[in-house]
Amino acid sequence: MSNPLPSSVLDAMAATVEGSDSGRMTFPEVLKRLAEVGVESYSADLRRCERIFFLPDGSSRSFASRLSHHAVADLFSPDGVKAAIIDIQQQRIDYAAFCERIAAAGCCAYVVSLLGRRAVYMGRSGETCVEHFPAQT
């Protein structure tokens, strides 16, 4: 059973889901907000359209995404995932388009580790693609 979380932590988690889904928050902004409230990692399940946030004490919370479900391609394409990462980093696409693109590249979920400063993208058969990101300043 998860521990009760302060409303400020829950509000920050919910704000990052809404902010990224609506295109009003960038990935660095999401990381900064989550780090401020002690989140150490989160996962995004593209098939279930949800994100789960994890804290160091073992507690976690899931939030539904308002984004539409996209079918996940059978074959995993690390190159397709990397191309989508580059496009969102350069602000050529928003988060909704990013999710659509990585699903088309066979990504069914990803995990972001704030501690490890990396995102691990996973295919349906367990394939992975790792993207490292710089520490927050």
Side-chain angles (χ1 to χ4, degrees), residues 10-25:
L10 295 171
D11 290 347
M13 292 171 174
T16 63
V17 172
E18 195 283 324
S20 56
D21 284 359
S22 67
R24 290 194 310 268
M25 258 181 132

Side-chain angles (χ1 to χ4, degrees), residues 8 35 41 46-47 50 61 63 71 97 99 102 106 110 119 125-126 133-134:
S8 60
S41 67
L46 300 179
R47 294 177 288 194
E50 73 177 354
R61 289 295 182 278
F63 291 81
C99 289
I102 63 174
Y110 64 88
S125 298
F133 51 85

Side-chain angles (χ1 to χ4, degrees), residues 42-53:
Y42 70 92
S43 65
D45 187 323
L46 300 179
R47 294 177 288 194
R48 293 179 49 95
C49 298
E50 73 177 354
R51 271 170 256 165
I52 304 171
F53 298 89

Side-chain angles (χ1 to χ4, degrees), residues 34 40-41 101 126:
L34 293 175
E40 68 179 18
S41 67
R101 294 256 311 267

Side-chain angles (χ1 to χ4, degrees), residues 1-2 5 14 18 25 42 51-52 66 69 86 89 94 97 100 102 105 107 122 125:
M1 183 162 167
S2 293
L5 295 175
E18 195 283 324
M25 258 181 132
Y42 70 92
R51 271 170 256 165
I52 304 171
R66 71 174 184 85
H69 170 76
I86 289 168
Q89 287 173 339
D94 63 9
E100 183 176 357
I102 63 174
C107 178
M122 293 159 279
S125 298

Side-chain angles (χ1 to χ4, degrees), residues 14 24 33 36 42 52 66 74 76-77 88 110 114 121:
R24 290 194 310 268
R33 184 79 186 269
E36 290 171 350
Y42 70 92
I52 304 171
R66 71 174 184 85
D74 291 336
F76 185 69
S77 168
I88 197 164
Y110 64 88
L114 281 75
Y121 299 86

